[in-house]
Amino acid sequence: MDLYEHQARELFAEHGIVVPRAEITGSPKQAREIARRIGGRVVVKAQVRTGGRGKAGGVKLAADPAAAELTARQILGMNIKGHTVRTVMVAQPVDIAEEFYVSYVLDRTAGRFLAIASAEGGMDIEEVAATRPEAVARIPVDPAEGVTTATAARIADAAGLPPRTVDVLVRLWEVLVREDALLVEVNPLVRTRDGAVVALDGKVTLDDNARFRRARRYDEDDSGHDPLEAAATAKGLNYVKLDGEVGIIGNGAGLVMSTLDVVAGCGARPANFLDIGGGASAQVMADGLSVVLADPSVRSVFVNVFGGITACDAVADGIVRALDTVRLTKPLVVRLDGNNAARGRAVLDGRAHPLVEQVTTMDGAASRAAHLATTP
Ligand code: GDP
Ligand code: MN
């Protein structure tokens, strides 16, 4: 699970990494109070489990407590990449001299961790990584050895970070190990005008397999959870919200994952992962469709079914009956293949819904759905 920034910074602080003073709230009035307590001028930051808040207008400076209240009012309720802002962090502002990027991430393929660091951190790190990869150092970390002071010094040196960051790099590794995290990221880690090194942002992904041995409990069904995911969980669906515009429904986790890849390969971004499983009854199809259609980012829906034990005509029946209960508001591209595909296609053709079209190949259907989602 991903932690919120304020949860990540709590872990950082416990492990001796300096973070600015801050409090969180869901109320603009309280934001004003907090600003008054911590010195007037503050940064108000949306708490959502996604990055790019700065660029989305979810991180703003406020000059005084009254401005903090106003700013909190603007940011609360904002939708950032499909996540509704329910709380804001009101933090002491920091005078930034330099912004760095540091992270440790599990490299599953190599069976190791990877330290990624750059002296050019901040909101444009993705662009830096894409256009000037030499500005981003990548150092493998042996999990058994961990990050010693010597390793940290090598990472800092490779990335061109000042020696003062070495201690933070060691402590950040301790966070990863102690908390059973798969990812810890600080962007930006800043050098302040008075020479301190401070973590201004934090992203931590915990390994859910280690939940049983974690001392700390996180409320995983809190209101900050994505509302679509909550709705899907309530219906027993295997749904994960993503950032794109093509809704995806398929049968079988493996097929759905390759569907995400193929849609991405066609130049569009998947809006979700949804595996309706083997049975794919009309009810499950209707539930799935209604969750996917409720996502305002979705511009087309791709239903990708390979009939195995469940025959395609049964799935097609499910889709047709789902169309009776769910009002289709966006184009639906359906690919049926495998067991009884011809009969399944005939069933859908018989329904002749104006927003439903069939494409017989997975690549062709993905490309059609991508086209529908990306052309105005
Ligand atoms: P993100 O866009 O979701 O990664 O949110 P961040 O927490 O990284 O904030 C975005 C940007 O806001 C940072 O890269 C900083 O440049 C800026 N920022 C955040 N906190 C402060 C602060 O205390 N002082 C100043 N001057 N800028 C800040
Ligand atoms: Mn950031």
Side-chain angles (χ1 to χ4, degrees):
M1 77 177 288
D2 293 341
L3 296 187
Y4 286 101
E5 176 190 18
H6 67 89
Q7 295 169 327
R9 32 172 291 138
E10 250 173 62
L11 296 180
F12 293 173
E14 277 172 23
H15 289 271
I17 297 170
V18 180
V19 296
R21 187 172 165 201
E23 289 178 46
I24 69 155
T25 177
S27 129
K29 284 240 157 22
Q30 270 176 18
R32 180 196 281 250
E33 288 307 308
I34 298 169
R36 206 187 325 256
R37 262 203 299 283
I38 64 182
R41 222 169 80 87
V42 289
V43 186
V44 183
K45 308 180 74 174
Q47 296 299 289
V48 279
R49 288 195 259 234
T50 182
R53 296 166 301 161
K55 287 195 171 158
V59 177
K60 288 216 167 85
L61 274 163
D64 53 51
E69 177 175 341
L70 205 68
T71 307
R73 207 177 289 287
Q74 286 167 355
I75 294 179
L76 286 164
M78 202 181 245
N79 185 306
I80 299 181
K81 296 185 186 165
H83 299 254
T84 305
V85 182
R86 309 213 181 274
T87 54
V88 290
M89 190 168 92
V90 181
Q92 211 157 46
V94 165
D95 236 349
I96 302 175
E98 279 185 285
E99 293 190 314
F100 313 126
Y101 174 94
V102 296
S103 69
Y104 297 115
V105 59
L106 177 62
D107 180 352
R108 290 182 192 273
T109 320
R112 282 187 303 210
F113 281 86
L114 200 57
I116 305 176
S118 174
E120 299 177 46
M123 291 194 285
D124 293 320
I125 187 66
E126 276 91 2
E127 204 194 311
V128 172
T131 57
R132 284 180 307 105
E134 70 280 2
V136 181
R138 296 161 161 270
I139 310 275
V141 175
D142 181 336
E145 200 176 293
V147 175
T148 59
T149 306
T151 326
R154 261 199 299 128
I155 297 166
D157 189 51
L161 305 182
R164 285 194 179 196
T165 58
V166 169
D167 178 57
V168 176
L169 284 165
V170 172
R171 291 174 190 274
L172 196 60
W173 179 258
E174 283 169 19
V175 172
L176 178 118
V177 173
R178 287 290 174 75
E179 309 296 334
D180 288 308
L182 300 172
L183 165 85
V184 290
E185 180 193 80
V186 186
N187 184 39
L189 176 70
V190 308
R191 183 172 67 76
T192 65
R193 298 230 174 267
D194 43 22
V197 175
V198 180
L200 268 207
D201 186 12
K203 179 166 183 208
V204 171
T205 304
L206 299 177
D207 185 348
D208 292 338
N209 297 308
R211 192 179 289 148
F212 72 96
R213 67 176 183 191
R214 252 197 286 283
R216 190 189 303 254
R217 291 278 156 246
Y218 293 98
D219 183 1
E220 309 206 7
D221 302 310
D222 60 2
S223 59
H225 219 86
D226 185 87
L228 288 169
E229 286 187 358
T233 306
K235 289 177 172 164
L237 293 170
N238 194 0
Y239 172 95
V240 181
K241 172 86 180 88
L242 301 170
D243 289 342
E245 56 287 318
V246 180
I248 310 278
I249 301 176
N251 63 332
L255 178 66
V256 178
M257 284 194 276
S258 23
T259 307
L260 303 183
D261 286 345
V262 173
V263 166
C266 293
R269 293 173 312 155
N272 66 273
F273 170 103
L274 174 54
D275 170 19
I276 53 168
S281 69
Q283 189 56 54
V284 172
M285 185 56 86
D287 287 347
L289 263 181
S290 63
V291 169
V292 170
L293 291 168
D295 177 352
S297 319
V298 164
R299 302 196 54 209
S300 70
V301 182
F302 178 12
V303 177
N304 190 12
V305 168
F306 192 90
I309 294 168
T310 307
C312 286
D313 53 337
V315 176
D317 275 337
I319 296 174
V320 166
R321 279 188 286 142
L323 290 173
D324 292 335
T325 54
V326 180
R327 200 173 69 87
L328 197 57
T329 48
K330 292 153 191 173
L332 194 70
V333 179
V334 183
R335 174 254 185 172
L336 294 176
D337 205 349
N339 185 8
N340 265 356
R343 290 178 59 179
R345 290 174 195 152
V347 168
L348 275 187
D349 280 341
R351 176 64 171 78
H353 192 290
L355 281 171
V356 178
E357 56 183 285
Q358 298 194 69
V359 180
T360 49
T361 65
M362 174 158 162
D363 287 354
S367 141
R368 179 65 184 149
H371 174 79
L372 288 168
T374 51
T375 40

